[in-house]
Amino acid sequence: MHPLVNVGVQAARAAGHIILRHAHQTDRLTVTSKGKSDFVSEVDRTAEAEITRIIRRYYPDHAILGEEGGASGDSDTVWIIDPLDGTTNFLHGIPHYAVSIGVTYRGKLAHAVIYEPNTNDLYTATAGGGAQCNSRRIRVSRTDSLDRALIGTGAPFRDEERIQRYLPQLGGVLNETAGIRRAGSAALDLAWVANGRLDGFWENDLKPWDIAAGVLLVREAGGTVTELYGRNDVMDTGNVLACNLPIHTALERAIHSASRPD
């Protein structure tokens, strides 16, 4: 493993230990709301602080962008951290959430770590070096027909305008595929695309910490990740379409079959 990936793995496992330690006592946690249906717990903050502490021990000059702590530092190398992707699942006792750590160098995705504490599955990738799960090489699925494809998605919940933009997309994909899953963790959805469990995934308006590691994993596993509306870079807009190459055009067409953005 690349040295930065080794540090990312150490940090992700440490955060995962904190998360699991509190998983059966969520009723005792302090939980606040960042917005409609957007929660943060003391576990999110504690886990991010531990990730940051470990990174700083080895790379004190690197910059960090965390979901809870915001941006700090000025460096060509930036660590992008989601300490607990799937907080709502965690708070409801649903064992589907992950620690996500991406690293960019001069604005390009360079390294990725996604750790699923409940299964102990560890996903890693380095640009140009392929993607792994538990140290074994992974590849996207070989499904070549959309009507046999299982697709992941994330539903918006913060405002009516985004919901109305999303619902026609959902209908279009439902009509064309074998099924849709809305599991509640974009990081894990992308990791599952990389690992071939899902054939594709799309979601609108995600944040860099939601997708940095997952986007690199999919690409290094032989998949494609594009901006949903063909605009700027997906890391800038957060509108993600990830899948294997054979179904990309058909999935994109299904998503946009009922409506297009203004």
Side-chain angles (χ1 to χ4, degrees):
M1 273 189 224
H2 190 281
L4 269 71
V5 175
N6 277 324
V7 171
V9 168
Q10 180 182 340
R13 288 193 182 278
H17 178 72
I18 291 169
I19 293 165
L20 288 182
R21 198 169 68 227
H22 293 87
H24 299 295
Q25 51 186 18
T26 54
D27 57 325
R28 303 179 188 176
L29 297 176
T30 300
V31 180
T32 57
S33 176
K34 297 186 288 186
K36 182 178 180 293
S37 302
D38 190 8
F39 303 105
V40 58
S41 74
E42 61 188 277
V43 173
D44 296 70
R45 296 190 174 98
T46 303
E48 185 171 310
E50 180 64 7
I51 293 169
T52 300
R53 184 189 69 79
I54 291 171
I55 293 169
R56 291 282 187 227
R57 181 200 303 167
Y58 293 96
Y59 300 106
D61 297 329
H62 286 183
I64 292 176
L65 174 62
E67 178 176 13
E68 310 307 334
S72 63
D74 183 13
S75 171
D76 286 341
T77 303
V78 182
W79 296 75
I80 305 176
I81 302 165
D82 191 336
L84 177 50
D85 188 60
T87 299
T88 301
N89 283 349
F90 170 76
L91 293 174
H92 285 78
I94 299 172
H96 187 81
Y97 40 81
V99 181
S100 179
I101 302 174
V103 182
T104 62
Y105 179 70
R106 295 184 176 176
K108 303 292 185 182
L109 291 169
H111 307 287
V113 175
I114 293 177
Y115 179 56
E116 188 174 1
N118 287 288
T119 62
N120 203 34
D121 283 337
L122 177 69
Y123 298 88
T124 58
T126 291
Q132 299 80 35
C133 178
N134 301 329
S135 300
R136 293 185 176 184
R137 183 71 181 265
I138 56 175
R139 300 288 295 179
V140 294
S141 77
R142 296 181 178 180
T143 302
D144 60 4
S145 175
L146 193 59
D147 62 2
R148 295 197 301 272
L150 181 64
I151 307 299
T153 189
F157 50 80
R158 291 189 177 93
D159 63 61
E160 184 66 22
E161 181 181 351
R162 289 175 179 173
I163 293 171
Q164 293 307 314
R165 179 176 64 177
Y166 171 77
L167 289 177
Q169 298 175 0
L170 180 63
V173 177
L174 274 171
N175 288 334
E176 299 291 337
T177 62
I180 291 180
R181 300 291 182 267
R182 200 287 193 198
S185 170
L188 277 181
D189 283 332
L190 288 165
W192 284 13
V193 172
N195 204 17
R197 293 179 177 175
L198 292 171
D199 300 298
F201 168 78
W202 95 98
E203 188 168 354
N204 299 276
D205 305 307
L206 290 166
K207 300 297 184 183
W209 45 79
D210 297 319
I211 60 175
V215 166
L216 183 61
L217 275 169
V218 173
R219 288 173 174 166
E220 288 299 316
T224 181
V225 183
T226 57
E227 208 284 335
L228 196 55
Y229 304 110
R231 295 173 177 171
N232 299 319
D233 187 86
V234 66
M235 289 296 297
D236 294 328
T237 68
N239 302 315
V240 179
L241 171 57
C243 58
N244 66 26
L245 285 168
I247 67 168
H248 178 268
T249 299
L251 179 56
E252 184 177 44
R253 185 181 301 117
I255 290 169
H256 296 309
S257 62
S259 66
R260 304 242 359 143
D262 294 335

PDB file of all heavy atoms in Angstrom, residues 195-212:
ATOM      1  N   ASN A 195     -17.194  -2.937  -6.370  1.00  0.00           N
ATOM      2  CA  ASN A 195     -17.067  -4.349  -6.032  1.00  0.00           C
ATOM      3  C   ASN A 195     -18.041  -5.236  -6.808  1.00  0.00           C
ATOM      4  O   ASN A 195     -18.090  -6.444  -6.592  1.00  0.00           O
ATOM      5  CB  ASN A 195     -17.290  -4.545  -4.530  1.00  0.00           C
ATOM      6  CG  ASN A 195     -16.637  -5.797  -3.990  1.00  0.00           C
ATOM      7  OD1 ASN A 195     -15.766  -6.374  -4.631  1.00  0.00           O
ATOM      8  ND2 ASN A 195     -17.048  -6.222  -2.817  1.00  0.00           N
ATOM      9  N   GLY A 196     -18.859  -4.625  -7.683  1.00  0.00           N
ATOM     10  CA  GLY A 196     -19.778  -5.391  -8.509  1.00  0.00           C
ATOM     11  C   GLY A 196     -21.063  -5.810  -7.823  1.00  0.00           C
ATOM     12  O   GLY A 196     -21.857  -6.562  -8.402  1.00  0.00           O
ATOM     13  N   ARG A 197     -21.321  -5.341  -6.621  1.00  0.00           N
ATOM     14  CA  ARG A 197     -22.579  -5.671  -5.938  1.00  0.00           C
ATOM     15  C   ARG A 197     -23.732  -4.870  -6.528  1.00  0.00           C
ATOM     16  O   ARG A 197     -24.861  -5.368  -6.619  1.00  0.00           O
ATOM     17  CB  ARG A 197     -22.448  -5.389  -4.434  1.00  0.00           C
ATOM     18  CG  ARG A 197     -21.468  -6.304  -3.725  1.00  0.00           C
ATOM     19  CD  ARG A 197     -21.364  -5.951  -2.253  1.00  0.00           C
ATOM     20  NE  ARG A 197     -20.473  -6.868  -1.554  1.00  0.00           N
ATOM     21  CZ  ARG A 197     -20.122  -6.730  -0.286  1.00  0.00           C
ATOM     22  NH1 ARG A 197     -20.587  -5.705   0.424  1.00  0.00           N
ATOM     23  NH2 ARG A 197     -19.309  -7.603   0.288  1.00  0.00           N
ATOM     24  N   LEU A 198     -23.474  -3.642  -6.866  1.00  0.00           N
ATOM     25  CA  LEU A 198     -24.410  -2.813  -7.611  1.00  0.00           C
ATOM     26  C   LEU A 198     -23.842  -2.599  -9.005  1.00  0.00           C
ATOM     27  O   LEU A 198     -22.622  -2.483  -9.173  1.00  0.00           O
ATOM     28  CB  LEU A 198     -24.617  -1.459  -6.936  1.00  0.00           C
ATOM     29  CG  LEU A 198     -25.338  -1.435  -5.589  1.00  0.00           C
ATOM     30  CD1 LEU A 198     -25.257  -0.030  -4.978  1.00  0.00           C
ATOM     31  CD2 LEU A 198     -26.790  -1.861  -5.732  1.00  0.00           C
ATOM     32  N   ASP A 199     -24.723  -2.531  -9.990  1.00  0.00           N
ATOM     33  CA  ASP A 199     -24.275  -2.275 -11.363  1.00  0.00           C
ATOM     34  C   ASP A 199     -24.102  -0.788 -11.639  1.00  0.00           C
ATOM     35  O   ASP A 199     -23.389  -0.406 -12.573  1.00  0.00           O
ATOM     36  CB  ASP A 199     -25.266  -2.869 -12.353  1.00  0.00           C
ATOM     37  CG  ASP A 199     -25.398  -4.375 -12.178  1.00  0.00           C
ATOM     38  OD1 ASP A 199     -24.392  -5.079 -12.356  1.00  0.00           O
ATOM     39  OD2 ASP A 199     -26.508  -4.843 -11.838  1.00  0.00           O
ATOM     40  N   GLY A 200     -24.765   0.054 -10.839  1.00  0.00           N
ATOM     41  CA  GLY A 200     -24.656   1.487 -11.021  1.00  0.00           C
ATOM     42  C   GLY A 200     -25.212   2.232  -9.831  1.00  0.00           C
ATOM     43  O   GLY A 200     -25.835   1.648  -8.931  1.00  0.00           O
ATOM     44  N   PHE A 201     -24.988   3.527  -9.828  1.00  0.00           N
ATOM     45  CA  PHE A 201     -25.457   4.396  -8.742  1.00  0.00           C
ATOM     46  C   PHE A 201     -25.572   5.811  -9.273  1.00  0.00           C
ATOM     47  O   PHE A 201     -24.747   6.258 -10.059  1.00  0.00           O
ATOM     48  CB  PHE A 201     -24.476   4.368  -7.572  1.00  0.00           C
ATOM     49  CG  PHE A 201     -24.716   5.429  -6.519  1.00  0.00           C
ATOM     50  CD1 PHE A 201     -25.725   5.277  -5.591  1.00  0.00           C
ATOM     51  CD2 PHE A 201     -23.940   6.580  -6.480  1.00  0.00           C
ATOM     52  CE1 PHE A 201     -25.957   6.258  -4.628  1.00  0.00           C
ATOM     53  CE2 PHE A 201     -24.162   7.565  -5.528  1.00  0.00           C
ATOM     54  CZ  PHE A 201     -25.175   7.396  -4.597  1.00  0.00           C
ATOM     55  N   TRP A 202     -26.630   6.517  -8.839  1.00  0.00           N
ATOM     56  CA  TRP A 202     -26.700   7.948  -9.143  1.00  0.00           C
ATOM     57  C   TRP A 202     -27.310   8.704  -7.969  1.00  0.00           C
ATOM     58  O   TRP A 202     -28.111   8.168  -7.209  1.00  0.00           O
ATOM     59  CB  TRP A 202     -27.485   8.199 -10.429  1.00  0.00           C
ATOM     60  CG  TRP A 202     -28.953   8.528 -10.248  1.00  0.00           C
ATOM     61  CD1 TRP A 202     -29.535   9.763 -10.231  1.00  0.00           C
ATOM     62  CD2 TRP A 202     -30.040   7.587 -10.062  1.00  0.00           C
ATOM     63  NE1 TRP A 202     -30.900   9.660 -10.050  1.00  0.00           N
ATOM     64  CE2 TRP A 202     -31.227   8.341  -9.941  1.00  0.00           C
ATOM     65  CE3 TRP A 202     -30.111   6.193  -9.976  1.00  0.00           C
ATOM     66  CZ2 TRP A 202     -32.477   7.736  -9.749  1.00  0.00           C
ATOM     67  CZ3 TRP A 202     -31.341   5.599  -9.782  1.00  0.00           C
ATOM     68  CH2 TRP A 202     -32.507   6.377  -9.679  1.00  0.00           C
ATOM     69  N   GLU A 203     -26.883   9.938  -7.827  1.00  0.00           N
ATOM     70  CA  GLU A 203     -27.452  10.829  -6.814  1.00  0.00           C
ATOM     71  C   GLU A 203     -27.092  12.266  -7.169  1.00  0.00           C
ATOM     72  O   GLU A 203     -26.067  12.529  -7.807  1.00  0.00           O
ATOM     73  CB  GLU A 203     -26.951  10.474  -5.412  1.00  0.00           C
ATOM     74  CG  GLU A 203     -27.681  11.257  -4.318  1.00  0.00           C
ATOM     75  CD  GLU A 203     -27.434  10.739  -2.914  1.00  0.00           C
ATOM     76  OE1 GLU A 203     -26.773   9.695  -2.751  1.00  0.00           O
ATOM     77  OE2 GLU A 203     -27.913  11.391  -1.962  1.00  0.00           O
ATOM     78  N   ASN A 204     -27.941  13.175  -6.725  1.00  0.00           N
ATOM     79  CA  ASN A 204     -27.740  14.600  -6.968  1.00  0.00           C
ATOM     80  C   ASN A 204     -27.212  15.301  -5.710  1.00  0.00           C
ATOM     81  O   ASN A 204     -27.533  14.907  -4.588  1.00  0.00           O
ATOM     82  CB  ASN A 204     -29.074  15.272  -7.340  1.00  0.00           C
ATOM     83  CG  ASN A 204     -29.685  14.711  -8.596  1.00  0.00           C
ATOM     84  OD1 ASN A 204     -29.342  15.107  -9.701  1.00  0.00           O
ATOM     85  ND2 ASN A 204     -30.609  13.773  -8.443  1.00  0.00           N
ATOM     86  N   ASP A 205     -26.433  16.344  -5.914  1.00  0.00           N
ATOM     87  CA  ASP A 205     -26.101  17.317  -4.866  1.00  0.00           C
ATOM     88  C   ASP A 205     -25.348  16.726  -3.682  1.00  0.00           C
ATOM     89  O   ASP A 205     -25.570  17.101  -2.528  1.00  0.00           O
ATOM     90  CB  ASP A 205     -27.381  18.001  -4.369  1.00  0.00           C
ATOM     91  CG  ASP A 205     -28.173  18.649  -5.482  1.00  0.00           C
ATOM     92  OD1 ASP A 205     -27.594  19.451  -6.240  1.00  0.00           O
ATOM     93  OD2 ASP A 205     -29.374  18.328  -5.633  1.00  0.00           O
ATOM     94  N   LEU A 206     -24.434  15.823  -3.941  1.00  0.00           N
ATOM     95  CA  LEU A 206     -23.596  15.284  -2.880  1.00  0.00           C
ATOM     96  C   LEU A 206     -22.428  16.226  -2.594  1.00  0.00           C
ATOM     97  O   LEU A 206     -22.099  17.104  -3.399  1.00  0.00           O
ATOM     98  CB  LEU A 206     -23.078  13.905  -3.274  1.00  0.00           C
ATOM     99  CG  LEU A 206     -24.138  12.802  -3.313  1.00  0.00           C
ATOM    100  CD1 LEU A 206     -23.610  11.574  -4.039  1.00  0.00           C
ATOM    101  CD2 LEU A 206     -24.598  12.450  -1.912  1.00  0.00           C
ATOM    102  N   LYS A 207     -21.804  16.020  -1.443  1.00  0.00           N
ATOM    103  CA  LYS A 207     -20.663  16.837  -1.030  1.00  0.00           C
ATOM    104  C   LYS A 207     -19.358  16.092  -1.327  1.00  0.00           C
ATOM    105  O   LYS A 207     -19.344  14.865  -1.463  1.00  0.00           O
ATOM    106  CB  LYS A 207     -20.754  17.156   0.458  1.00  0.00           C
ATOM    107  CG  LYS A 207     -22.011  17.923   0.846  1.00  0.00           C
ATOM    108  CD  LYS A 207     -22.067  19.286   0.168  1.00  0.00           C
ATOM    109  CE  LYS A 207     -23.284  20.076   0.645  1.00  0.00           C
ATOM    110  NZ  LYS A 207     -23.390  21.384  -0.058  1.00  0.00           N
ATOM    111  N   PRO A 208     -18.236  16.816  -1.379  1.00  0.00           N
ATOM    112  CA  PRO A 208     -16.960  16.145  -1.684  1.00  0.00           C
ATOM    113  C   PRO A 208     -16.639  14.996  -0.746  1.00  0.00           C
ATOM    114  O   PRO A 208     -16.132  13.955  -1.181  1.00  0.00           O
ATOM    115  CB  PRO A 208     -15.936  17.276  -1.561  1.00  0.00           C
ATOM    116  CG  PRO A 208     -16.699  18.525  -1.869  1.00  0.00           C
ATOM    117  CD  PRO A 208     -18.076  18.293  -1.312  1.00  0.00           C
ATOM    118  N   TRP A 209     -16.941  15.147   0.545  1.00  0.00           N
ATOM    119  CA  TRP A 209     -16.623  14.074   1.495  1.00  0.00           C
ATOM    120  C   TRP A 209     -17.507  12.845   1.304  1.00  0.00           C
ATOM    121  O   TRP A 209     -17.146  11.753   1.700  1.00  0.00           O
ATOM    122  CB  TRP A 209     -16.727  14.581   2.931  1.00  0.00           C
ATOM    123  CG  TRP A 209     -17.941  15.412   3.202  1.00  0.00           C
ATOM    124  CD1 TRP A 209     -19.206  14.988   3.433  1.00  0.00           C
ATOM    125  CD2 TRP A 209     -17.990  16.840   3.252  1.00  0.00           C
ATOM    126  NE1 TRP A 209     -20.057  16.040   3.626  1.00  0.00           N
ATOM    127  CE2 TRP A 209     -19.336  17.197   3.528  1.00  0.00           C
ATOM    128  CE3 TRP A 209     -17.035  17.856   3.108  1.00  0.00           C
ATOM    129  CZ2 TRP A 209     -19.746  18.525   3.652  1.00  0.00           C
ATOM    130  CZ3 TRP A 209     -17.448  19.172   3.235  1.00  0.00           C
ATOM    131  CH2 TRP A 209     -18.791  19.504   3.494  1.00  0.00           C
ATOM    132  N   ASP A 210     -18.673  13.018   0.678  1.00  0.00           N
ATOM    133  CA  ASP A 210     -19.538  11.875   0.387  1.00  0.00           C
ATOM    134  C   ASP A 210     -18.948  10.984  -0.706  1.00  0.00           C
ATOM    135  O   ASP A 210     -19.203   9.768  -0.726  1.00  0.00           O
ATOM    136  CB  ASP A 210     -20.917  12.333  -0.094  1.00  0.00           C
ATOM    137  CG  ASP A 210     -21.694  13.117   0.949  1.00  0.00           C
ATOM    138  OD1 ASP A 210     -21.658  12.724   2.128  1.00  0.00           O
ATOM    139  OD2 ASP A 210     -22.346  14.110   0.573  1.00  0.00           O
ATOM    140  N   ILE A 211     -18.214  11.564  -1.640  1.00  0.00           N
ATOM    141  CA  ILE A 211     -17.895  10.854  -2.878  1.00  0.00           C
ATOM    142  C   ILE A 211     -16.418  10.736  -3.213  1.00  0.00           C
ATOM    143  O   ILE A 211     -16.059   9.951  -4.094  1.00  0.00           O
ATOM    144  CB  ILE A 211     -18.610  11.523  -4.079  1.00  0.00           C
ATOM    145  CG1 ILE A 211     -18.166  12.985  -4.244  1.00  0.00           C
ATOM    146  CG2 ILE A 211     -20.120  11.422  -3.918  1.00  0.00           C
ATOM    147  CD1 ILE A 211     -18.738  13.657  -5.482  1.00  0.00           C
ATOM    148  N   ALA A 212     -15.540  11.481  -2.546  1.00  0.00           N
ATOM    149  CA  ALA A 212     -14.133  11.525  -2.975  1.00  0.00           C
ATOM    150  C   ALA A 212     -13.525  10.131  -3.059  1.00  0.00           C
ATOM    151  O   ALA A 212     -12.938   9.743  -4.082  1.00  0.00           O
ATOM    152  CB  ALA A 212     -13.317  12.403  -2.027  1.00  0.00           C
TER     153      ALA A 212
END
